Amino acid sequence: MRKWLLFLLAGGALHAAIIKGSVVENQTGKALARTLVSITPVPGSAGPTATARTNTYGMFEFVDLPGGAYLIHAARRGFMTAQYGQKNWRAAGQPVVLEPDQSTFLSIRLARFSSISGAIVDENDVGLPDHEVVAMTNTRPPRMLVKAQADDRGMYRIAGLDPGAYLVRTLARPFEDGGYLPTFYRETARVDEAGLVETLLDRETTDIKVRPFPGKLYTISGTVSNSFGGAMIVTLVSDVGRETMTTVENFQFVAKAPGPYELYAEAPADRRGIATGAYVPLSLERDMTGMRVNLLPRARVYVDLANTQGGRVTDPSVKVLARRVDLAGEWAVETPRLINGAAQLVQGRWQLMLGPSPAYVATDFRGLKGERPEGSRADGWNEITVNDSGSVRFVISDKPGGVHGTVTMGAHEPAGGVPVFLEAYDEVTHKRVVELRTTRSDMRGGYNFVGLAPGTYRLLSTFEYQSPGTGDIDGMSPRVFRVEEGRDQQQDLDVWVIR
């Protein structure tokens, strides 16, 4: 009996696929131990999702796999995540196709992130110790990405960057006899005059010297009046981040550079369920001490959900998402609790969106004054400015559109495991109005997107990008089409490649 069992086990192993391989550092070829390697089957392909870590020699192995197509990822701290089969760091990985009894050996190279290094110096080229510096996006307005601190000699290194172009800027800092103002690389306070710093994959861009301007820094302080008592959270926001403190009354933020700020004060809901808050925009040109901030009940924003016939929507599965927007960018997405149909929101800028669903879509949105926000679409993020209580309105359709089709390449052969990208697009502003949607074609080349709101979309399939920007899509001859309410249409695609 035991012999028969061993024979059956051995026979089964002969019909099991194996994926094994090694992970090494891109520049040196050294083995990378403890790298997390994961396999994911292409849609429509049999096989498990599994993970394994490389051993001391950088080796990994997945055994007893059914035949099929798999996507392989490798990730290790300090390195950029790699997908097997990538042409470059921005490209998507290509599937590995195995027969039921096939074994394959893969070699994966992990590249390090880009980095920027240099010195922060004073007017005499002497290093400024402990000064902070940030890398920012080359956008308007720029957004802070990574912060670093100079050492005792003023030397700094900003790590963990994707290859690209960045702005480098020091932060305000007090010193013994005064202070230094935020200053961009190339010695300017104006973003339009700042020098761009180009970074490359697996490389460090060196000798980026920043000389901050001496100047006066100011203090923002005061008290928060809260008739309900208890601890409060006070947040000061600038274009390079947020600084938060917890207090029962007094607050103070020191050594702040001149410029625009936003001050938020918030207290949790009391026993009656009433939450309080305050929002104060500031233009800092001098010390602002002795401020008095009064907490008031948060604004009640009523959310009116109506169907396309004008009736009220009461389906509890319909969710509204919200995120606060300030000088530093967007806050985390939250699902506000609706009490009697109203959300309690702190005054300031907010964005609202209907939660994604295959069963319904937003076809219209009206803000607190009945307006349609500029540059947005009802199914995306809709910005409002909350000052007082009011109501917003979503018109919802339970007949979303869809698009499906087949991806082919070469001699019209079905292409399995190819990324397919769907972009909601405004042809007037030439902007993306909803987050990019992505899927992979199945083993027969098929793809499918559901839950689409009416409007214009751009569609393409390619291995050249993991997540193309709008400018990237402009140069790839995308399929442009309109989605209509309740209609599922077919759009077949060829795989786009760089010629």
Side-chain angles (χ1 to χ4, degrees):
M1 183 67 182
R2 175 176 291 183
K3 291 181 178 180
W4 279 107
L5 180 59
L6 291 174
F7 177 79
L8 290 174
L9 290 174
L14 292 175
H15 292 85
I18 298 174
I19 298 176
K20 60 177 67 175
S22 65
V23 182
V24 299
E25 187 177 19
N26 183 51
Q27 283 193 338
T28 66
K30 293 180 179 179
L32 291 178
R34 296 173 298 280
T35 301
L36 183 65
V37 181
S38 62
I39 61 171
T40 306
V42 168
S45 174
T49 297
T51 60
R53 288 198 179 272
T54 57
N55 61 19
T56 302
Y57 306 102
M59 308 296 291
F60 66 90
E61 185 177 48
F62 297 93
V63 298
D64 296 333
L65 299 175
Y70 296 87
L71 301 170
I72 293 93
H73 294 71
R76 191 180 193 269
R77 184 177 179 182
F79 293 82
M80 298 189 72
T81 298
Q83 301 179 18
Y84 181 78
Q86 287 177 289
K87 291 184 178 180
N88 55 63
W89 71 274
R90 293 193 66 188
Q94 301 195 26
V96 174
V97 180
L98 296 176
E99 297 298 328
D101 57 352
Q102 185 179 356
S103 176
T104 188
F105 187 92
L106 311 177
S107 179
I108 302 176
R109 306 184 76 89
L110 292 191
R112 291 190 179 272
F113 288 96
S114 302
S115 60
I116 300 171
S117 65
I120 304 172
V121 299
D122 65 9
E123 58 271 29
N124 297 314
D125 255 11
V126 177
L128 293 172
D130 303 324
H131 210 113
E132 290 185 312
V133 61
V134 296
M136 307 183 77
T137 60
N138 182 30
T139 57
R140 302 295 183 271
R143 297 295 186 205
M144 186 190 77
L145 295 175
V146 183
K147 181 189 297 185
Q149 188 173 43
D151 62 16
D152 61 323
R153 296 189 176 191
M155 307 301 294
Y156 72 88
R157 184 174 184 272
I158 304 173
L161 300 173
D162 288 339
Y166 297 92
L167 301 173
V168 175
R169 182 189 187 191
T170 60
L171 301 186
R173 182 169 178 82
F175 274 82
E176 293 81 0
D177 57 349
Y180 287 97
L181 303 177
T183 306
F184 286 102
Y185 169 60
R186 295 286 169 84
E187 297 183 49
T188 179
R190 292 173 50 85
V191 63
D192 292 334
E193 298 174 353
L196 279 181
V197 180
E198 298 280 351
T199 66
L200 300 175
L201 180 69
D202 232 344
R203 296 289 188 273
E204 182 169 318
T205 303
T206 60
D207 300 324
I208 302 302
K209 183 187 294 184
V210 189
R211 184 178 288 107
F213 297 132
K216 187 171 178 56
L217 304 179
Y218 302 109
T219 296
I220 301 172
S221 64
T223 61
V224 180
S225 177
N226 180 12
S227 59
F228 299 102
M232 299 161 289
I233 297 176
V234 180
T235 304
L236 183 68
V237 183
S238 70
D239 62 351
V240 291
R242 307 177 183 97
E243 188 175 345
T244 299
M245 63 175 296
T246 302
T247 181
V248 294
E249 184 178 14
N250 300 317
F251 66 89
Q252 180 174 331
F253 299 95
V254 300
K256 300 305 171 188
Y261 292 85
E262 293 172 313
L263 185 74
Y264 291 91
E266 302 170 71
D270 62 12
R271 288 177 295 179
R272 297 175 296 173
I274 299 176
T276 56
Y279 166 71
V280 183
L282 304 173
S283 180
L284 188 62
E285 299 175 352
R286 55 179 175 79
D287 286 328
M288 299 185 70
T289 57
M291 293 180 61
R292 186 171 181 84
V293 179
N294 295 318
L295 290 189
L296 300 173
R298 301 183 190 182
R300 293 180 179 271
V301 176
Y302 292 86
V303 181
D304 180 18
L305 304 177
N307 59 34
T308 53
Q309 290 76 42
R312 187 178 181 185
V313 174
T314 58
D315 185 348
S317 68
V318 179
K319 302 295 183 183
V320 175
L321 308 180
R323 65 184 183 188
R324 194 183 305 179
V325 182
D326 58 26
L327 292 171
E330 296 83 16
W331 291 48
V333 177
E334 58 184 271
T335 303
R337 181 186 176 193
L338 300 183
I339 302 176
N340 297 324
Q344 298 184 50
L345 301 180
V346 174
Q347 287 79 1
R349 289 185 296 150
W350 287 82
Q351 291 178 342
L352 304 178
M353 183 175 75
L354 210 63
S357 169
Y360 56 81
V361 290
T363 60
D364 192 24
F365 175 83
R366 299 299 176 98
L368 292 169
K369 296 181 180 179
E371 77 284 4
R372 288 190 177 97
E374 293 185 15
S376 66
R377 206 164 81 177
D379 56 320
W381 287 108
N382 299 275
E383 186 163 318
I384 60 174
T385 300
V386 177
N387 293 314
D388 302 306
S389 296
S391 64
V392 299
R393 180 182 177 89
F394 281 99
V395 176
I396 300 173
S397 170
D398 61 358
K399 297 180 178 63
V403 60
H404 69 278
T406 302
V407 181
T408 57
M409 66 187 307
H412 303 290
E413 292 292 328
V418 187
V420 183
F421 303 102
L422 181 69
E423 179 186 54
Y425 184 68
D426 189 322
E427 293 181 288
V428 176
T429 62
H430 303 288
K431 292 182 179 179
R432 180 178 298 170
V433 292
V434 182
E435 284 82 356
L436 186 71
R437 296 182 62 171
T438 305
T439 188
R440 289 254 186 180
S441 60
D442 62 24
M443 292 301 293
R444 297 182 178 180
Y447 75 90
N448 187 33
F449 290 102
V450 299
L452 304 184
T456 300
Y457 291 81
R458 301 200 299 180
L459 182 70
L460 72 146
S461 179
T462 183
F463 282 113
E464 305 291 345
Y465 293 90
Q466 295 182 48
S467 182
T470 295
D472 301 320
I473 294 176
D474 289 342
M476 291 191 281
S477 303
R479 182 75 52 84
V480 181
F481 66 101
R482 286 193 60 82
V483 167
E484 299 175 1
E485 184 178 0
R487 181 188 172 196
D488 183 17
Q489 58 183 289
Q490 181 169 343
Q491 296 284 348
D492 295 333
L493 301 169
D494 290 326
V495 177
W496 185 86
V497 295
I498 296 176
R499 302 292 183 183

